[in-house]
């Protein structure tokens, strides 16, 4: 009896599928091998059957050969796993050769098969070869996974400490997150309408964007260099001014630090970059003239500096002369004024665009025209959207000039690229819908791309706020609020509630609400920083509320400390408790107030108290089922948003009162004395007082009236 091609090797060694990625990779191979093993055992085999078995066996052998070649290449690059990987590859190749030998029946006559070990004569040999192949291939895949995981861990511990790489990774992640749903609907639309050119263009654009994002992730994680890695960031005006001022100020210590010609050239290069502002069709005449005037002033001041500098060198001065010192100060001031003007122009334009585009008129018109099958209107509104896209792209480029940090520059570039790509994708999706107005998937596809556009506008609003934070000296970094409930504190809830995570669809639906929470928490932080007394109870508690709300915003993105819905509900309960503490502090604070001021604070405090109690009750109420859990998440975040809105309205008013009473405390015996003195000297109109019977409660208008009154008192 002929021996088995596999011999007596330990074919079952290590046959254990350890990861889902490995399991998914093995599915096609298992399918092919199952075909070979489970063939019908008929006494007479047709030529067609023999040819099919031969073809499948040879295909498996060739595929294994290619697979092993890749494994051997990986082994050569990773010495610590070289022996183990090499053995696994050797076994895989041997098993592939055995399967090829056992299935070599395609051209053989029945008489020629007599006496040979084949899949027909020895099924046990085929089973052994198959198990050896699966075992060895699984081992190669697991070893490869170990190498990739090691690279990722190394990158996480070392590479991503670089803020630029963090920003690049965040940009790539944002692309992949948004493109996931786009790819699904675009592919479905393309399959539903295979002859539609606009659908194909739409799908291909998504694929290309995702491919670029994945390549960027791979470059960052594996420290690989590609043509994209060599691309440097465009020179920004902010960095140019920073380098120019640094060079000018170094002249105080070293007159020969650089040459006068190089300084003049550096300034001219800086001025040339301002052409992105002055050459823009969207820059007003007044703004253009202001920028050109400041550029000319910077030239004049630099020329005066060069003149004083040359004179100092001619007398062999060892340090900056008095004339040089004056010229240095004037030059630095003029370029700082230029930066301030450019920042005002860029941020102002971005703010205006966000207000105008917030209504989403072209998107709504495109949806309606597409649903009606009106190609002419689709073309008309596509031109409008294209113009908006060009405005947003140019504005992102201007924001990049004044962003202030390299990570924010990268984020600006990402925003620019996103608007540049999504605009045409919306148009192609609208064209597809217009050609197939009854197609549900085409309509859904257009909705997905429009939502991506709206999401990018929200991201741009956050970017704008962060750029302002840097410009005003605030980095905008959030202090993480780590006071999550300790195990056991909420044991009653934990017995009935199940900790789950939001899926991708739920995160998408929560994105807008989460962004509103992010903006409100940032606004609260901004108001808190305006208080002189940073240790005030109202300040401390408001900071805690903003930090916890920011954690809840991160939860809607699948990030941060809150991993499950149970974590979110616990955080909501802690936030409500902190809010109740703030109510207590506000009540104490109001005890020193009189008349309208006390009414305002107490009215808002009562509103805050009701909202905190509502959030606390909702967080403690157990729910069952996915729908009920999601509704509880939604109501918790909405209640938190309302709480922050009230806090945001109270902070500036309380700050104003606190400063006023603090300044008067040394000269007056009590707030009542101060009030009586002001009543005697300054008439206070009753119309400005808060109408406590107003059903709307304390509104923005009444707050502004009281703030104006305090400003008037301060001026007097």
């Amino acid at each position: 009896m002929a021996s088995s091609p596999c011999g007596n090797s330990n074919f079952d060694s290590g046959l254990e599928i350890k990861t889902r990625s490995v399991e998914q990779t093995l599915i096609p191979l298992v399918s092919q091998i199952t075909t070979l093993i489970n063939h019908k055992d008929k006494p007479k085999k047709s030529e067609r059957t023999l040819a099919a078995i031969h073809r499948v066996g040879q295909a498996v052998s060739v595929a294994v050969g290619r697979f092993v070649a890749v494994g051997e290449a990986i082994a050569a690059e990773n010495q610590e796993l070289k022996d183990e990987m090499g053995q696994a590859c050797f076994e895989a190749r041997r098993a592939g050769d055995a399967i090829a030998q056992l299935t070599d029946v395609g051209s053989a006559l029945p008489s020629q098969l007599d006496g040979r070990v084949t899949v027909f004569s020895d099924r046990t040999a085929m089973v052994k070869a198959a198990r050896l192949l699966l075992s060895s291939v699984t081992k190669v895949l697991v070893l490869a996974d170990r190498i990739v995981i090691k690279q990722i861990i190394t990158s996480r511990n070392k590479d991503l400490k670089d803020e630029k790489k963090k920003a690049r990774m965040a940009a790539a992640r944002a692309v992949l997150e948004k493109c996931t749903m786009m790819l699904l609907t675009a592919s479905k639309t393309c399959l539903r309408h295979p002859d539609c050119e606009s659908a194909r263009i739409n799908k291909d654009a998504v694929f290309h964007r995702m491919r670029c994002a994945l390549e960027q992730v791979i470059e960052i994680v594996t420290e690989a260099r590609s043509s994209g890695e060599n691309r440097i960031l465009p020179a920004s005006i902010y960095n140019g001014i920073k380098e120019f001022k640094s060079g000018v100020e170094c002249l105080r210590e070293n007159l020969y630090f650089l040459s006068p010609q190089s300084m003049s050239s550096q300034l001219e290069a800086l001025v040339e970059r301002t052409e992105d502002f002055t050459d823009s069709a969207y820059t007003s005449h007044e703004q253009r003239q202001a920028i050109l005037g400041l550029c000319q002033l910077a030239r004049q001041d630099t020329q005066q500096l060069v003149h004083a500098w040359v004179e100092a060198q001619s007398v062999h001065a060892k340090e900056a002369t008095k004339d040089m010192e004056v010229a240095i100060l004037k030059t630095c001031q003029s370029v700082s004024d230029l930066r301030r003007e450019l920042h005002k122009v860029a941020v102002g334009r971005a703010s205006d665009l966000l207000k105008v585009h917030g209504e989403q008129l072209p998107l709504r018109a495109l949806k309606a025209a597409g649903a009606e099958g009106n190609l002419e209107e689709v073309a008309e509104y596509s031109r409008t959207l294209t113009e908006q896209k060009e405005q947003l792209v140019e504005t992102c480029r201007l924001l990049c000039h004044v962003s202030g940090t390299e990570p924010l520059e990268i984020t600006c570039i990402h925003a620019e690229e996103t608007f540049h790509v999504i605009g045409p994708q919306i148009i192609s999706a609208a064209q597809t819908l217009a050609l197939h107005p009854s197609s549900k998937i085409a309509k859904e596809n257009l909705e997905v791309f429009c939502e991506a556009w709206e999401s990018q506008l929200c991201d741009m609003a956050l970017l704008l706020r962060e750029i302002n934070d840097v410009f005003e000296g605030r980095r905008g970094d959030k202090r993480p609020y780590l006071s999550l409930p300790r195990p056991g504190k909420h044991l009653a809830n934990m017995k009935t509630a199940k900790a789950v995570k939001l899926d991708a669809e739920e995160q998408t639906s929560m994105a807008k609400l989460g962004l509103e929470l992010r903006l409100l928490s940032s606004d609260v932080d901004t108001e808190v920083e305006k208080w002189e007394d940073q240790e005030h109870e109202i300040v401390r508690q408001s900071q805690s509320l903003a930090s916890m709300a920011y954690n809840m915003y991160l939860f809607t993105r699948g990030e941060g400390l809150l991993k499950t819905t149970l974590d979110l509900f616990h955080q909501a309960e802690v936030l409500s408790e902190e809010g109740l503490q703030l109510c207590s502090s506000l009540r104490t604070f109001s005890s020193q107030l009189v008349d309208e001021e006390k009414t305002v604070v107490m009215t808002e405090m009562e509103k805050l108290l009701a909202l905190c109690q509502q959030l606390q009750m909702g967080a403690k109420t157990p729910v069952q089922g996915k729908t009920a859990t999601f509704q509880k998440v939604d109501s918790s975040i909405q209640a938190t948003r309302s709480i922050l809105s009230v806090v945001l309205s109270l902070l500036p008013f309380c700050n104003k009162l606190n400063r006023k009473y603090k300044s008067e405390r040394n000269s007056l015996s009590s707030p009542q004395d101060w009030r009586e003195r002001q009543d005697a000297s300054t008439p206070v109109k009753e119309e400005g007082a808060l109408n406590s019977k107003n059903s709307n409660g304390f509104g923005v208008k009444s707050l502004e009236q009281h703030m104006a009154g305090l400003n008037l008192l301060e001026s007097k």
Side-chain angles (χ1 to χ4, degrees):
M1 183 175 180
S3 62
S4 169
C6 287
N8 296 321
S9 64
N10 184 12
F11 58 84
D12 202 20
S13 172
L15 181 53
E16 182 180 358
I17 299 175
K18 298 185 178 180
T19 67
R20 183 167 179 81
S21 62
V22 173
E23 179 184 355
Q24 294 297 317
T25 306
L26 290 175
I27 286 176
L29 181 60
V30 172
S31 177
Q32 294 280 16
I33 293 176
T34 302
T35 300
L36 293 175
I37 295 176
N38 294 340
H39 68 87
K40 294 180 180 179
D41 192 11
K42 296 180 180 179
K44 187 176 181 180
K45 283 79 178 177
S46 66
E47 292 184 5
R48 184 176 180 181
T49 300
L50 294 174
I53 292 175
H54 176 74
R55 184 170 58 253
V56 173
Q58 293 302 311
V60 170
S61 179
V62 171
V64 169
R66 293 173 179 169
F67 176 84
V68 167
V70 175
E72 290 172 342
I74 294 174
E77 295 175 359
N78 297 271
Q79 293 297 319
E80 69 276 12
L81 296 176
K82 184 176 181 180
D83 294 340
E84 200 173 354
M85 179 73 85
Q87 180 63 27
C89 289
F90 172 77
E91 292 177 355
R93 191 185 297 277
R94 187 154 61 92
D97 292 341
I99 290 175
Q101 182 180 341
L102 288 167
T103 57
D104 187 16
V105 296
S107 59
L109 296 175
S111 60
Q112 294 174 322
L113 297 177
D114 295 339
R116 280 177 50 191
V117 178
T118 67
V119 67
F120 303 117
S121 63
D122 191 353
R123 178 173 295 188
T124 302
M126 174 57 74
V127 172
K128 288 183 177 182
R131 291 186 67 85
L132 176 60
L133 179 61
L134 290 176
S135 172
S136 54
V137 168
T138 300
K139 194 167 187 179
V140 171
L141 291 171
V142 170
L143 291 172
D145 275 359
R146 281 172 54 186
I147 293 170
V148 173
I149 290 169
K150 182 179 178 182
Q151 290 175 333
I152 292 173
I153 292 174
T154 302
S155 174
R156 183 177 182 181
N157 292 339
K158 181 176 67 174
D159 296 337
L160 293 187
K161 292 179 181 178
D162 184 343
E163 292 298 324
K164 288 172 60 177
K165 288 187 177 180
K166 283 184 180 178
R168 291 181 65 214
M169 183 65 85
R173 174 179 175 173
V175 171
L176 293 173
E177 284 179 348
K178 292 177 182 177
C179 284
T180 301
M181 184 56 67
M182 289 190 246
L183 181 61
L184 176 63
T185 57
S187 298
K188 285 184 177 180
T189 304
C190 202
L191 288 172
R192 179 67 180 82
H193 309 288
D195 298 327
C196 183
E197 180 67 12
S198 57
R200 185 191 62 78
I201 292 173
N202 187 261
K203 183 198 70 173
D204 290 348
V206 179
F207 264 118
H208 177 73
R209 187 119 169 91
M210 292 186 75
R211 193 177 299 114
C212 292
L214 285 170
E215 288 174 356
Q216 182 164 305
V217 171
I218 292 170
E219 290 171 13
I220 297 170
V221 171
T222 62
E223 296 184 326
R225 283 191 171 272
S226 70
S227 57
E229 181 74 11
N230 295 327
R231 187 186 68 176
I232 61 174
L233 291 175
S236 70
I237 294 176
Y238 172 84
N239 287 331
I241 289 177
K242 185 177 178 181
E243 292 172 4
F244 179 77
K245 287 178 64 176
S246 177
V248 169
E249 291 171 345
C250 281
L251 293 177
R252 292 190 174 104
E253 306 297 330
N254 186 356
L255 296 181
Y256 305 93
F257 175 71
L258 46 79
S259 67
Q261 293 78 13
S262 63
M263 177 176 290
S264 298
S265 300
Q266 194 174 359
L267 178 65
E268 288 305 316
L270 179 61
V271 170
E272 186 177 349
R273 293 174 206 164
T274 64
E275 292 176 0
D276 285 346
F277 290 78
T278 56
D279 291 351
S280 171
Y282 306 108
T283 301
S284 68
H285 176 72
E286 292 77 12
Q287 292 172 335
R288 184 177 293 106
Q289 290 301 115
I291 294 171
L292 292 174
L294 288 170
C295 288
Q296 186 59 32
L297 179 61
R299 284 193 182 102
Q300 293 174 0
D301 290 339
T302 303
Q303 283 300 110
Q304 291 179 1
L305 173 58
V306 168
H307 181 71
W309 185 8
V310 171
E311 284 189 351
Q313 287 181 332
S314 65
V315 297
H316 305 290
K318 294 184 179 180
E319 57 184 18
T321 62
K322 183 178 179 180
D323 290 343
M324 271 192 71
E325 185 63 37
V326 172
I328 288 172
L329 292 173
K330 290 178 64 178
T331 302
C332 290
Q333 183 61 45
S334 60
V335 292
S336 295
D337 291 343
L338 175 60
R339 178 205 167 193
R340 188 174 295 105
E341 180 64 25
L342 295 173
H343 176 87
K344 183 175 72 173
V345 171
V347 170
R349 182 187 299 182
S351 300
D352 292 342
L353 281 177
L354 289 173
K355 290 176 184 176
V356 171
H357 298 337
E359 299 177 0
Q360 309 296 339
L361 295 178
L363 297 186
R364 290 206 293 266
L366 275 173
K367 292 177 189 176
E372 295 170 0
N374 193 329
L375 284 170
E376 291 184 0
E377 286 194 1
V378 166
E380 177 183 349
Y381 291 117
S382 294
R383 287 190 289 271
T384 304
L385 182 65
T386 300
E387 183 179 353
Q388 286 192 357
K389 181 255 303 182
E390 291 173 352
Q391 290 179 349
L392 288 166
V393 166
E394 184 179 281
T395 301
C396 290
R397 195 174 301 129
L398 300 188
L399 287 175
C400 183
H401 274 303
V402 300
S403 56
T405 68
E406 285 189 330
L408 287 180
E409 285 181 31
I410 292 171
T411 307
C412 289
I413 293 171
H414 162 69
E416 177 185 342
E417 293 173 347
T418 301
F419 284 123
H420 183 75
V421 171
I422 293 184
Q425 288 178 320
I426 292 174
I427 293 171
S428 62
Q431 291 170 343
T432 303
L433 179 59
L435 292 170
H436 308 279
S438 61
S439 174
K440 291 182 179 180
I441 187 59
K443 183 178 181 181
E444 182 185 352
N445 188 47
L446 178 57
E447 285 284 351
V448 167
F449 281 95
C450 289
E451 287 173 3
W453 177 276
E454 294 168 4
S455 175
Q456 188 57 47
L457 286 175
C458 292
D459 289 347
M460 187 175 178
L462 292 177
L463 172 62
L464 193 62
R465 191 174 297 274
E466 290 174 355
I467 289 174
N468 270 327
D469 285 344
V470 172
F471 181 78
E472 295 171 6
R474 304 188 307 268
R475 287 291 168 179
D477 294 331
K478 288 283 181 181
R479 291 179 293 275
Y481 192 84
L482 301 176
S483 299
L484 293 177
R486 293 183 295 275
K489 183 175 179 182
H490 301 275
L491 190 59
N493 284 353
M494 293 180 70
K495 290 180 180 179
T496 57
K498 181 181 179 181
V500 297
K501 294 184 179 181
L502 297 184
D503 57 28
E505 183 178 352
E506 290 169 338
Q507 285 185 15
T508 301
S509 63
M510 295 297 298
K512 185 176 181 181
L513 190 59
L515 284 171
E516 292 177 6
L517 206 59
R518 164 69 174 89
L519 293 172
L520 280 170
S521 64
S522 180
D523 287 338
V524 169
D525 278 345
T526 299
E527 289 301 328
V528 161
E529 289 173 0
K530 295 177 181 178
W531 282 61
E532 294 176 359
D533 183 6
Q534 287 292 306
E535 298 302 319
H536 199 287
E537 285 296 306
I538 292 177
V539 169
R540 186 180 58 78
Q541 290 157 352
S542 298
Q543 285 176 330
S544 296
L545 290 174
S547 295
M548 285 187 278
Y550 185 74
N551 278 344
M552 296 172 77
Y553 152 72
L554 290 178
F555 172 81
T556 65
R557 291 176 53 87
E559 302 172 358
L561 298 170
L562 310 179
K563 303 300 183 183
T564 67
T565 52
L566 197 57
D567 292 337
L568 178 76
F569 301 148
H570 289 168
Q571 182 76 101
E573 191 172 344
V574 175
L575 188 145
S576 66
E577 292 171 359
E578 191 74 15
L580 293 174
Q581 291 295 324
L582 177 59
C583 290
S584 177
S585 299
L586 288 169
R587 185 178 285 108
T588 301
F589 178 77
S590 67
S591 64
Q592 64 179 324
L593 307 179
V594 292
D595 299 340
E596 300 100 310
E597 288 82 5
K598 184 172 184 177
T599 303
V600 169
V601 174
M602 289 301 295
T603 301
E604 287 300 281
M605 187 274 295
E606 290 171 1
K607 188 187 299 184
L608 180 62
L609 179 65
L611 288 170
C612 290
Q613 290 172 342
Q614 175 189 339
L615 178 61
Q616 191 174 57
M617 289 297 297
K620 289 182 176 181
T621 302
V623 294
Q624 293 182 345
K626 185 175 181 181
T627 301
T629 300
F630 179 72
Q631 289 175 347
K632 184 176 177 180
V633 170
D634 182 76
S635 61
S636 297
I637 294 179
Q638 289 205 38
T640 302
R641 179 185 62 179
S642 300
I643 288 172
L644 285 193
S645 297
V646 176
V647 172
L648 184 61
S649 68
L650 271 168
L651 280 172
F653 186 63
C654 292
N655 185 25
K656 207 79 170 179
L657 290 171
N658 187 56
R659 286 189 301 180
K660 174 55 62 178
Y661 287 143
K662 187 176 181 180
S663 64
E664 295 289 334
R665 197 167 292 141
N666 294 330
S667 58
L668 298 174
S669 59
S670 70
Q672 182 65 35
D673 294 336
W674 170 79
R675 184 65 184 177
E676 291 173 357
R677 180 175 174 180
Q678 293 296 339
D679 287 341
S681 59
T682 307
V684 180
K685 296 183 179 180
E686 291 297 325
E687 295 90 321
L690 173 72
N691 183 0
S692 60
K693 296 181 180 180
N694 191 334
S695 61
N696 293 328
F698 171 61
V700 175
K701 185 174 181 180
S702 61
L703 176 60
E704 290 175 347
Q705 289 172 342
H706 283 78
M707 294 288 283
L710 286 170
N711 284 326
L712 177 62
L713 294 178
E714 279 189 351
S715 64
K716 287 185 175 295

